[in-house]
Amino acid sequence: KTVEKVSPTLQTSKFLDEGVLTPEEFVQAGDLLTHKCPTWTWESGDPSRNVTYLPKEKQFLLTRNVPCYSRVKSLENETKHAKYDILNIEGEDNEEWVAPSASASDVVDIQKDLASLSVQTTTTTTTAKPSAPQQQQQDEDSDDDGEIPDLEDFQDDNLVEDDPSTLSKPTVNKSNNTTTTTTSTTSNNTSTAAADDDNILRTRTYDISITYDKYYQTPRVWLFGYDENRRPLKPEEIFEDISEDHAHKTVTIDSHPHLGISFAYIHPCRHASVMKKLITKQCENGKEPRVDQYLFLFLKFISVVIPTIEYDFTLEFDT
Amino acid sequence: MSILQFKEFSSFINISFWNELAQKKLNIFKLSDAPVNISAFYTYSSSAQLDPFLSIEYNSFLPLTSSNEGDSLYKLPPKSYLSNGIIYNYNTKEDFKQAPKQKIFEDVSLNIWNDIKNGNVERDSSLLSRFLILTFADIKNHQFYYLVGVPALSFESPITLRSPVQPINEYFTSNQVASLKGQLVGSQQQFFLIRKEGQDSVEVASLDKWSSFVDEAKNGTLIVGFSDPCSLPSNPGWPLRNFLYYIGFKQIKDVDVVCIRDVKGQSIDTSIVLQLALPETPTEWSKKSVGWEKDPNGKILPRLISLASTMDPLKLATQSV
């Protein structure tokens, strides 16, 4: 934080040379993203947290309610043997994409890294598999959320609705054991399987935001997750949606610069070098890298880290 | 005759809202439990696996209009529609429990009825869309109790379908669909009037054009449209209910409703058309309205959200790398 305050804002474009962005270029890239993918919007955030190097109405990018049908664990099982490498960010210098606190012991084996990169990165449907129950460990509500009072005490007998014209939300079916996901925060009743009355399968959703990181001069991705009942996910639950090789290493929790609440974010320390490689690759393939397309490339690469969160970056894009 | 069922909203309260409420409680409301206006929005459902959401976010307390230039205003995300809300934040758990819930619900319903009767909804159709939220913020423990209601005025008997639900492409020609889509681009209207203009186009108008549209519909059936947050194949979303009550009040019995569904801003081809028979034409509101949000067990009970794991500085410290 302090470093960020004293470090000067990047003025001249170093996009091609270093894979980084100036604030102006971030705005350009964001404009194209919101134009091509209307699910992404510019947000102004908390006015008291505005930064001066970005326009008031364009402080950060946000996409809401992005479905996340399955956990990374099940995806990795499905595609374990799929051997294709879309991004191929393996560099000649064997630079790995590693943890922020990179000490020698933390360094991820490049082979392992590549394995995680073989995950499909298209936005097209990953079909939910409610029929393949993953007997996940239900972390038995390690009462870190304090005492949970009995809400039945709040029953108000005057409030009764019996309306033939109402299609209610499906109620939780207690005998249903096909739980594919984990706990909700308060109730012991965690079934989230297919609904009985409208066949809607509940899914987790994420709000994803992209801020401009002044220190690293790259975009920074923030994740906020909700469970099937729209309760915020706990950090450890969010880690279930982050590729195993990156969870706990490249993802950590901090206060969102424009909202002031805690989000999980993908640490940007390697973003520039990965982007640089992707840009170089584009050049080698005879394509002219465009700075306003930066975020499409960037999001494609981020999807390696969060392969099951189906956010939108639909522009046809080859590296 | 099959009964039309409306899909309820699910409240979707962003964690940033609870954070904002806690700040407001500490710095502005203090011990006041007077109701305060807030805003929420709904949008098209992006996936059949997502409920229609009524979303309340960090900016919900911002005013919709202001005479001071430079004031931050509530801003709807693109392709989203306004719901006018009121929040009652109580000081204690007991006050929250004893809140005159039914009375508050009736008051909001009465506002809707008055706006229908006085014709205010013709100037601003978002007045048909209202909600209320009762809260108790246990700031010390980072726990928030809440109960949401989205009142819908009810007819004495259910609304029925005159014929099976139709896809929009059967009801309109493809040119008419294109014409409709073109006129909806950038529109923030939630409820509107539609008129077929020959085989190739339609005219879309806001509710203040009611009289001219209704006159011309005398020989046929009135067509209306609304932005539908639901994506189920044969159920419309909740906002349609108050719109139909307005149409009933206008002495209309048969109405065709185009439920606009928008897929990523690209296509409205998944929209459906409901050909409806309204049961009666109310001249006074019968005091009947529904729309309390149920908990996951189907009961009208408050819900509790605990944000200790995301707000408590001590717990946060343990998560950091």
Side-chain angles (χ1 to χ4, degrees):
Chain A
K1 266 270 153 64
T2 329
V3 181
E4 189 165 304
K5 281 204 183 92
V6 296
S7 55
T9 315
L10 183 61
Q11 300 288 353
T12 46
S13 177
K14 293 187 190 159
F15 158 69
L16 288 174
D17 301 331
E18 297 178 17
V20 296
L21 288 181
T22 65
E24 290 74 26
E25 287 169 334
F26 177 68
V27 171
Q28 270 180 42
D31 284 345
L32 188 70
L33 179 68
T34 53
H35 178 70
K36 294 274 182 193
C37 306
T39 51
W40 286 94
T41 60
W42 278 113
E43 297 287 322
S44 43
D46 179 350
S48 67
R49 294 172 196 272
N50 282 1
V51 292
T52 51
Y53 47 85
L54 290 170
K56 192 166 171 267
E57 301 299 319
K58 297 181 177 178
Q59 295 279 311
F60 67 101
L61 292 154
L62 181 68
T63 182
R64 298 175 171 86
N65 300 347
V66 182
C68 179
Y69 299 110
S70 54
R71 304 291 75 79
V72 161
K73 211 174 190 181
S74 59
L75 186 69
E76 281 176 349
N77 289 341
E78 275 168 37
T79 56
K80 202 181 263 169
H81 305 294
K83 278 283 171 215
Y84 61 101
D85 177 359
I86 290 176
L87 283 183
N88 188 16
I89 56 169
E90 178 186 23
E92 312 75 53
D93 49 352
N94 263 19
E95 252 189 343
E96 307 88 68
W97 202 55
V98 288
S101 55
S103 66
S105 63
D106 273 342
V107 172
V108 184
D109 176 6
I110 187 75
Q111 291 308 321
K112 206 176 158 207
D113 224 19
L114 282 174
S116 81
L117 288 178
S118 70
V119 167
Q120 197 172 350
T121 56
T122 56
T123 43
T124 47
T125 50
T126 315
T127 359
K129 292 252 188 307
S131 50
Q134 277 248 324
Q135 275 317 338
Q136 288 208 2
Q137 278 241 300
Q138 306 252 327
D139 68 311
E140 65 294 319
D141 224 305
S142 47
D143 52 351
D144 57 352
D145 276 339
E147 219 171 285
I148 303 303
D150 187 2
L151 290 167
E152 296 279 343
D153 291 347
F154 289 85
Q155 178 91 47
D156 184 335
D157 293 335
N158 294 320
L159 301 186
V160 195
E161 279 181 10
D162 182 19
D163 177 44
S165 301
T166 299
L167 180 64
S168 288
K169 276 179 275 188
T171 53
V172 177
N173 184 352
K174 297 191 180 185
S175 61
N176 200 330
N177 285 326
T178 56
T179 313
T180 50
T181 46
T182 45
T183 55
S184 69
T185 14
T186 56
S187 81
N188 302 321
N189 196 340
T190 57
S191 172
T192 51
D196 14 37
D197 66 343
D198 58 9
N199 285 319
I200 289 185
L201 175 80
R202 304 292 123 177
T203 173
R204 282 186 177 185
T205 59
Y206 277 86
D207 291 349
I208 305 176
S209 73
I210 305 178
T211 58
Y212 179 74
D213 191 290
K214 195 169 160 231
Y215 179 73
Y216 288 101
Q217 300 163 349
T218 61
R220 181 191 289 220
V221 172
W222 303 79
L223 302 172
F224 204 90
Y226 294 87
D227 73 6
E228 293 78 358
N229 292 314
R230 304 310 133 208
R231 291 172 182 282
L233 294 174
K234 293 185 207 169
E236 62 267 30
E237 293 170 316
I238 291 179
F239 285 124
E240 295 167 357
D241 294 318
I242 291 157
S243 143
E244 249 173 52
D245 292 323
H246 299 293
H248 295 286
K249 289 192 209 109
T250 33
V251 177
T252 179
I253 315 284
D254 197 1
S255 173
H256 188 287
H258 299 290
L259 297 174
I261 51 176
S262 297
F263 275 66
Y265 72 91
I266 302 175
H267 204 280
C269 58
R270 294 308 239 178
H271 286 4
S273 62
V274 174
M275 287 304 291
K276 167 75 180 129
K277 272 179 204 145
L278 293 174
I279 290 162
T280 310
K281 193 144 190 291
Q282 263 193 317
C283 291
E284 281 165 7
N285 293 347
K287 296 209 176 61
E288 184 140 346
R290 280 171 44 189
V291 74
D292 61 344
Q293 293 179 344
Y294 186 98
L295 285 171
F296 290 93
L297 202 56
F298 177 74
L299 285 172
K300 192 165 180 175
F301 133 63
I302 290 297
S303 69
V304 174
V305 185
I306 45 176
T308 58
I309 305 180
E310 301 186 2
Y311 60 82
D312 198 10
F313 56 104
T314 44
L315 193 71
E316 287 301 316
F317 215 87
D318 300 318
T319 42
Chain B
M1 275 295 150
S2 56
I3 292 178
L4 179 68
Q5 285 195 313
F6 301 84
K7 177 72 180 167
E8 285 182 314
F9 267 126
S10 293
S11 66
F12 190 173
I13 304 180
N14 196 288
I15 182 176
S16 60
F17 173 79
W18 298 121
N19 189 55
E20 188 67 20
L21 176 63
Q23 296 304 320
K24 283 261 189 301
K25 168 77 185 150
L26 287 171
N27 302 321
I28 296 169
F29 303 159
K30 299 193 170 131
L31 288 177
S32 162
D33 56 9
V36 171
N37 288 330
I38 63 170
S39 302
F41 69 87
Y42 58 89
T43 185
Y44 301 102
S45 172
S46 61
S47 152
Q49 304 189 8
L50 295 177
D51 282 329
F53 293 131
L54 188 65
S55 303
I56 307 180
E57 300 192 341
Y58 67 94
N59 55 2
S60 289
F61 288 103
L62 293 176
L64 290 164
T65 56
S66 163
S67 45
N68 286 340
E69 242 176 82
D71 276 6
S72 297
L73 298 178
Y74 182 73
K75 198 174 126 223
L76 289 166
K79 296 259 171 201
S80 298
Y81 303 93
L82 178 68
S83 185
N84 303 280
I86 190 161
I87 180 169
Y88 287 79
N89 183 49
Y90 293 96
N91 282 316
T92 64
K93 207 185 283 186
E94 200 49 35
D95 285 355
F96 174 75
K97 193 173 166 179
Q98 301 297 336
K101 304 184 183 71
Q102 216 175 3
K103 168 82 168 57
I104 294 170
F105 196 85
E106 254 178 47
D107 287 349
V108 176
S109 306
L110 188 64
N111 278 339
I112 298 170
W113 168 244
N114 284 333
D115 286 333
I116 288 176
K117 212 165 56 170
N118 303 336
N120 291 342
V121 300
E122 282 153 36
R123 284 201 308 278
D124 177 4
S125 67
S126 79
L127 295 173
L128 289 168
S129 209
R130 289 181 184 271
F131 72 98
L132 56 105
I133 175 168
L134 312 182
T135 53
F136 164 58
D138 181 357
I139 295 171
K140 212 175 82 201
N141 295 311
H142 307 284
Q143 289 182 339
F144 299 87
Y145 295 76
Y146 67 103
L147 182 64
V148 174
V150 191
L153 309 187
S154 304
F155 290 99
E156 290 294 335
S157 51
I159 294 161
T160 52
L161 284 155
R162 305 199 315 276
S163 59
V165 176
Q166 265 186 308
I168 191 169
N169 289 314
E170 281 178 22
Y171 186 84
F172 287 125
T173 67
S174 55
N175 285 343
Q176 285 172 334
V177 173
S179 162
L180 177 60
K181 187 183 168 216
Q183 292 176 69
L184 291 177
V185 170
S187 161
Q188 293 275 5
Q189 284 184 62
Q190 342 191 330
F191 307 104
F192 41 87
L193 306 165
I194 302 173
R195 175 161 62 195
K196 291 187 185 178
E197 301 275 328
Q199 286 299 300
D200 291 326
S201 76
V202 296
E203 191 188 342
V204 177
S206 55
L207 295 193
D208 56 359
K209 301 287 184 320
W210 177 268
S211 44
S212 74
F213 270 67
V214 131
D215 282 347
E216 287 187 32
K218 266 180 189 143
N219 299 322
T221 310
L222 176 71
I223 311 172
V224 299
F226 89 109
S227 309
D228 191 356
C230 183
S231 59
L232 295 176
S234 50
N235 303 90
W238 202 248
L240 179 59
R241 292 193 76 155
N242 289 332
F243 188 31
L244 290 177
Y245 205 81
Y246 163 76
I247 292 166
F249 170 71
K250 290 290 194 178
Q251 310 299 308
I252 303 289
K253 283 270 189 199
D254 288 355
V255 59
D256 292 355
V257 181
V258 184
C259 308
I260 299 292
R261 283 134 188 227
D262 184 298
V263 182
K264 290 186 176 164
Q266 316 279 322
S267 153
I268 58 167
D269 291 346
T270 53
S271 304
I272 57 169
V273 180
L274 309 169
Q275 304 187 24
L276 303 177
L278 304 183
E280 79 262 6
T281 52
T283 48
E284 265 312 312
W285 174 44
S286 64
K287 294 262 171 182
K288 212 179 139 206
S289 60
V290 294
W292 283 109
E293 185 172 32
K294 284 54 165 204
D295 74 357
N297 297 312
K299 290 185 182 164
I300 302 175
L301 280 180
R303 306 175 76 177
L304 172 70
I305 201 129
S306 176
L307 298 179
S309 61
T310 44
M311 279 174 134
D312 189 330
L314 288 176
K315 293 201 167 112
L316 287 176
T318 64
Q319 294 291 346
S320 311
V321 176

